[in-house]
Amino acid sequence: MMVGVPGAKELPLPHKKPGVVANVVRGCLGNLVEWYDWFVYASFSIYFAASFFPEGNLTAQLLSTAVVFAVGFLMRPLGGWLLGLYADKFGRRAALTLSVTLMSFGSLAIALTPGYSSIGILAPVILVVARLAQGLSVGGEFGSSATYLSEIATPRRRGFYSSFQYVSITVGQLSALLVMIVMQSLLTEAQMYAWGWRVPFVLGAIAGLVVMYLRRSMVESEHFQRSADSPSRGGLRVLLREHRRQVLAVLGLAIGGTVAFYTFTSYLQKYMVNTAGIPKPTASLIGFAALFLFIFMQPVAGALSDRWGRRPVMFGFSIGGMLLTVPIMTLVGRTGNPWVAFLLMITAMVFLSGYTALSAIIKAEMFPTNVRALGVGLPHALATAVFGGLSEPIALALKQAGHESVFFWWVTGCIALTFVATLVVREPSRDSALEIGAVRARDSVVR
């Protein structure tokens, strides 16, 4: 049975809306800083692993920091639940402001924590607590941000405008890499290991405070304002009782997408260093260039989904991912040529953009306003916690065990689940168009 869009008791916004671009920019600035902070941890872990954990080989220390990275993911379902409820009850703007505040707190704690050699076991304990706060933040950020961007967009360009969620996510990741590249050029390797890795966390904390102020002045979603005046109730019980199929669909869509995203945009750079033997600065440049091009893929894929529909573009991701993941990962591991590694990373990102550009809108269009932030945020966070958060630890553990290639097939299997979910999801963009057409026809009859 096809999973459709619920019959929400809300009127669509006017076809032309003032201030859409300005609101998208405001929403994305906070999203950018949040994901900068999140990816700074992943990008700089290769330098600060030795500060928080006892001495050992590089793979063992990276595995330790990856486990803490995964621990942060465990808080994401709680964040998706609590901040999703908060966004559906008190507004998207309030939830987005709260989430960036939590993220700034985590970054500042990591930046100021002494190393293992100074305070012993307290160092990794504080690191875990900081990552728990950041996991709570990111878990709530995705659903609230996806909901906000989809609700403020003009109906026939929702795919295009919503794609900027992953533009801001990628720019945040790119900013983290840019800071790394600049610092690698200014500081010696010893300085990077000693104190240089703390600088990006300080920058993230300061930026978060600025964005916290900016988000307080964001325009609230008109969809939420209308829903706030209606008697319809939200909450977890309503979500699971009335929208179970949509929740399962979001889970299925998110599993392969989030595993592929973290594999190809985050872990792949460590894979180049740890397996292919490419120098750290070169791997950082490869990642920076590939992510820069990845930014421009998002609005293109989003616009195509407005024209062709969400499902065809999502099929492009899932089919391409199932066919190409194993060859791409195998070839990257065997080449020491930076240009070949770059081209392979770009190839992966082309099909990955079919998911990332649509991740917000295809999920948001499944739910009515009163449970939209919770409906998007909670199942997405569950998928990323269980599957996305475990991607890097699984990859490193399999490498240590001598079975690294098994990870490639695991990623392929996860993408196959997204393919299955796409098969059972009804075309949400067409449902939205039909809803708009029906309201216009009704209004013309009334007039």
Side-chain angles (χ1 to χ4, degrees), residues 98-139:
L98 178 58
S99 68
V100 78
T101 304
L102 288 170
M103 180 61 73
S104 297
F105 165 78
S107 291
L108 187 61
I110 295 173
L112 300 180
T113 300
Y116 186 91
S117 60
S118 299
I119 60 174
I121 194 65
L122 280 178
V125 168
I126 294 174
L127 180 65
V128 169
V129 171
R131 290 302 291 175
L132 291 177
Q134 291 187 321
L136 187 71
S137 169
V138 174

Side-chain angles (χ1 to χ4, degrees), residues 220-254:
E220 183 56 89
S221 158
E222 292 181 40
H223 282 270
F224 171 76
Q225 292 175 341
R226 293 179 181 181
S227 177
D229 296 330
S230 71
S232 59
R233 299 180 60 186
L236 185 60
R237 184 176 300 178
V238 172
L239 178 70
L240 297 180
R241 184 178 67 242
E242 300 179 9
H243 308 285
R244 286 190 297 271
R245 292 173 181 167
Q246 287 77 21
V247 169
L248 292 174
V250 173
L251 279 169
L253 290 170

Side-chain angles (χ1 to χ4, degrees), residues 84-96:
L85 287 173
Y86 191 80
D88 286 331
K89 186 171 183 178
F90 298 105
R92 319 318 188 192
R93 179 178 59 191
L96 290 170

Side-chain angles (χ1 to χ4, degrees), residues 126-417:
I126 294 174
L127 180 65
V128 169
V129 171
R131 290 302 291 175
L132 291 177
Q134 291 187 321
L136 187 71
S137 169
V138 174
E141 171 73 17
F142 184 90
S144 300
S145 176
T147 297
Y148 183 76
L149 291 177
S150 66
E151 288 179 350
I152 64 171
T154 49
R156 296 191 183 279
R157 303 195 73 189
R158 284 176 177 156
F160 173 77
Y161 283 119
S162 296
S163 71
F164 283 89
Q165 183 183 39
Y166 265 89
V167 168
S168 60
I169 290 174
T170 306
V171 172
Q173 186 173 6
L174 203 58
S175 300
L177 277 175
L178 179 60
V179 170
M180 172 181 274
I181 291 170
V182 170
M183 294 186 65
Q184 286 173 334
S185 66
L186 296 177
L187 302 179
T188 65
E189 185 104 341
Q191 289 173 325
M192 288 291 292
Y193 278 101
W195 57 268
W197 62 266
R198 297 181 185 272
V199 174
F201 289 101
V202 173
L203 294 176
I206 295 172
L209 293 176
V210 173
V211 170
M212 179 183 67
Y213 173 78
L214 292 176
R215 278 192 161 177
R216 294 177 62 187
S217 64
M218 281 196 318
V219 176
E220 183 56 89
S221 158
E222 292 181 40
H223 282 270
F224 171 76
Q225 292 175 341
R226 293 179 181 181
S227 177
D229 296 330
S230 71
S232 59
R233 299 180 60 186
L236 185 60
R237 184 176 300 178
V238 172
L239 178 70
L240 297 180
R241 184 178 67 242
E242 300 179 9
H243 308 285
R244 286 190 297 271
R245 292 173 181 167
Q246 287 77 21
V247 169
L248 292 174
V250 173
L251 279 169
L253 290 170
I255 287 172
T258 192
V259 168
F261 178 75
Y262 283 104
T263 297
F264 292 120
T265 67
S266 179
Y267 175 70
L268 190 59
Q269 294 171 58
K270 298 184 183 72
Y271 179 68
M272 290 178 189
V273 174
N274 211 20
T275 297
I278 296 175
K280 294 188 193 76
T282 303
S284 297
L285 286 171
I286 292 172
F288 182 90
L291 285 170
F292 181 78
L293 295 178
F294 188 55
I295 291 172
F296 299 97
M297 299 177 194
Q298 307 309 304
V300 172
L304 288 176
S305 78
D306 287 329
R307 184 179 181 87
W308 297 343
R310 317 296 184 216
R311 294 179 73 209
V313 179
M314 190 65 73
F315 277 131
F317 156 69
S318 55
I319 294 173
M322 288 188 294
L323 294 177
L324 297 176
T325 294
V326 174
I328 286 174
M329 295 298 292
T330 301
L331 290 173
V332 170
R334 293 178 179 176
T335 184
N337 189 318
W339 288 104
V340 173
F342 171 72
L343 291 175
L344 290 169
M345 191 171 185
I346 285 294
T347 301
M349 288 183 172
V350 168
F351 67 77
L352 178 60
S353 64
Y355 169 79
T356 53
L358 275 62
S359 181
I361 189 63
I362 196 171
K363 298 166 186 172
E365 285 178 331
M366 294 183 189
F367 299 96
T369 304
N370 63 313
V371 293
R372 184 169 291 139
L374 180 61
V376 175
L378 178 58
H380 178 89
L382 284 169
T384 53
V386 176
F387 292 88
L390 291 176
S391 294
E392 191 169 320
I394 288 174
L396 291 169
L398 287 171
K399 177 178 176 57
Q400 276 197 318
H403 303 289
E404 192 168 28
S405 62
V406 175
F407 174 70
F408 314 156
W409 290 103
W410 185 77
V411 176
T412 302
C414 291
I415 295 175
L417 294 177

